[in-house]
Amino acid sequence: MSQSNPRAYNFNAGPSALPLEVLEKAQQELVNFQGSGMSIMEMSHRGAIFEAVHNEAISRLRKLYAIPDNYEVLFLQGGASLQFTMIPMNFLQVGKKASYIMTGVWSEKAYKEAKLFGEPVQIASTKENKYRNVPSLEELDVYSDDAYVHITSNNTIYGTQWSEFPDTGEVPLIADMSSDIMSKPVDVSKFAMVYAGAQKNLGPSGVTVVIIRKDFLAMANKDIPTILKYTTHAESNSLYNTPPTFGIYMLGEVLKWMEDQGGLTEIAKQNEEKAKLIYDVIDNSHGFYTGHASKGSRSLMNITFRVADEELEKQFLSEAKDAGFVGLNGHRSVGGCRASTYNSVPYDTCKALSDFMIAFQTKHQ
């Protein structure tokens, strides 16, 4: 932080930074939304005002992400963690297997939940390499009778990301995109289903976006609890039960902000420039900083690294905190440092970290 910029340099992994313009607009509209005399949080989710907000958010998401008409867009709750359960509950039929590609903790959690409902199999894993990379496409062996193949597109803890997605042919491909959804253009038609918690690139915590192909949806198991059926939410426009109204409103405002940035092509360019600022410092530090992820698998969303030795690393994190940097500690399971540079993290925030890292190395080398 500085006197001219009282906001923290926010690198939190999630919930994460939101655009200042969106926060300021929400502040202005918080008490009296569209002249209603109520906050968006106080009004009925079945009333005309919220329904318009809800539908506009879906429309903007469809347009920005170029989602084909044969896909449903759902706003659910429970985060990606509930999706780990709902997916096998809905789509892992008796006598079928589901293939999971293991690239980190979140794919491990998804696989664990699938074991409660049937026979998931691990068709590839980079665990032996401490999840420093994602598997090469040549390593994958997809079986034609699989119920689905599941991947995690970006791995927040280890800082790895798929740059190219596997082609699973007729087997439905499902992607957990919680930490890189809408960070770049993606051909949604390659997937039977994409899902993501909103709290990294799309808004505050509490909303989970599900994009699901209609013919895949039609294959879902029937004999499961009503609220855990995707068809329930598709048939009711995600209004079967009370949705997280404020979160959906905020998601819609973040999508407007993305449009104002120039859409996903421009967002992707900005994300590449931001990440390069930090990766260049790591690569040019002659070992003072070392990245965790292999170069070919590096994430543009989560930059994971270590400092030369343990004591210096503690000092780095302490001095960074004093300088106004927030969220630079690595995940508790692996330690180290992590800078999460999601869509809403400004270029100037990444430049400030780059400058701080260079100055710290110069002082302590």
Side-chain angles (χ1 to χ4, degrees):
M1 287 183 290
S2 66
Q3 290 183 344
S4 60
N5 177 27
R7 285 178 55 77
Y9 297 127
N10 186 355
F11 289 100
N12 276 322
S16 57
L18 290 167
L20 179 59
E21 301 96 311
V22 171
L23 292 170
E24 289 175 339
K25 184 178 181 186
Q27 183 182 46
Q28 293 169 3
E29 296 182 332
L30 186 65
V31 175
N32 185 5
F33 185 72
Q34 295 184 359
S36 65
M38 297 178 288
S39 166
I40 191 76
M41 293 182 284
E42 296 178 289
M43 58 183 59
S44 170
H45 64 289
R46 304 197 186 279
I49 294 177
F50 177 75
E51 186 176 13
V53 170
H54 182 91
N55 290 335
E56 184 177 343
I58 293 173
S59 177
R60 288 184 184 278
L61 197 150
R62 281 189 175 279
K63 183 178 178 182
L64 271 167
Y65 221 26
I67 299 172
D69 291 340
N70 62 323
Y71 284 74
E72 297 280 2
V73 175
L74 310 178
F75 294 149
L76 306 182
Q77 299 175 63
S81 294
L82 182 57
Q83 296 305 304
F84 298 162
T85 298
M86 284 182 67
I87 289 166
M89 185 181 286
N90 278 263
F91 299 114
L92 185 47
Q93 291 90 2
V94 175
K96 291 266 190 175
K97 293 183 179 180
S99 291
Y100 281 72
I101 301 174
M102 314 304 290
T103 52
V105 166
W106 305 113
S107 53
E108 288 179 357
K109 288 179 180 288
Y111 175 77
K112 178 183 177 182
E113 295 303 302
K115 289 171 70 175
L116 299 174
F117 298 95
E119 275 193 85
V121 293
Q122 298 183 21
I123 60 170
S125 174
T126 56
K127 186 170 186 176
E128 288 187 1
N129 194 32
K130 298 182 179 179
Y131 291 131
R132 295 182 185 277
N133 61 291
V134 297
S136 66
L137 299 184
E138 293 74 24
E139 294 177 56
L140 307 179
D141 193 3
V142 178
Y143 298 96
S144 60
D145 59 347
D146 283 353
Y148 58 83
V149 176
H150 181 281
I151 67 170
T152 305
S153 61
N154 183 80
N155 302 282
T156 54
I157 294 174
Y158 302 97
T160 62
Q161 185 177 27
W162 291 84
S163 59
E164 183 181 357
F165 296 112
D167 181 358
T168 58
E170 296 299 313
V171 179
L173 178 61
I174 299 176
D176 175 2
M177 292 190 179
S178 290
S179 52
D180 68 347
I181 191 169
M182 301 188 80
S183 63
K184 59 184 179 181
V186 165
D187 183 356
V188 174
S189 69
K190 290 182 178 292
F191 300 89
M193 177 176 168
V194 168
Y195 65 97
Q199 67 274 11
K200 302 176 190 293
N201 270 341
L202 298 182
S205 59
V207 185
T208 305
V209 172
V210 172
I211 304 165
I212 186 167
R213 203 173 63 219
K214 292 179 181 179
D215 65 335
F216 183 56
L217 179 63
M219 297 166 57
N221 297 322
K222 311 298 183 187
D223 298 327
I224 56 178
T226 302
I227 202 166
L228 297 176
K229 293 179 181 178
Y230 291 108
T231 52
T232 297
H233 302 285
E235 290 166 359
S236 59
N237 193 30
S238 302
L239 296 171
Y240 172 76
N241 63 320
T242 306
T245 55
F246 184 74
I248 292 170
Y249 156 71
M250 287 292 288
L251 183 147
E253 293 301 322
V254 171
L255 294 174
K256 289 181 187 178
W257 174 84
M258 288 187 190
E259 292 175 347
D260 293 341
Q261 299 304 299
L264 296 191
T265 299
E266 182 59 30
I267 290 282
K269 179 182 175 184
Q270 293 174 12
N271 286 333
E272 290 172 5
E273 292 172 349
K274 292 185 303 185
K276 186 175 187 298
L277 285 171
I278 302 168
Y279 280 126
D280 280 354
V281 175
I282 295 170
D283 291 341
N284 296 324
S285 71
H286 303 289
F288 187 86
Y289 300 108
T290 55
H292 177 81
S294 302
K295 285 189 177 182
S297 296
R298 279 177 167 177
S299 170
L300 297 180
M301 298 285 96
N302 308 98
I303 302 168
T304 52
F305 61 97
R306 305 301 300 248
V307 185
D309 65 59
E310 188 174 342
E311 289 306 312
L312 266 183
E313 189 168 89
K314 290 178 181 177
Q315 190 170 346
F316 172 85
L317 290 168
S318 177
E319 291 187 19
K321 182 178 179 181
D322 291 341
F325 294 94
V326 175
L328 287 178
N329 290 71
H331 191 271
R332 60 187 179 275
S333 64
V334 297
C337 308
R338 172 175 58 180
S340 296
T341 56
Y342 300 122
N343 289 358
S344 301
V345 176
Y347 179 91
D348 289 347
T349 293
C350 296
K351 181 63 167 64
L353 177 59
S354 171
D355 292 343
F356 176 83
M357 290 172 70
I358 292 170
F360 184 86
Q361 179 179 358
T362 300
K363 183 167 63 172
H364 295 285
Q365 198 166 31

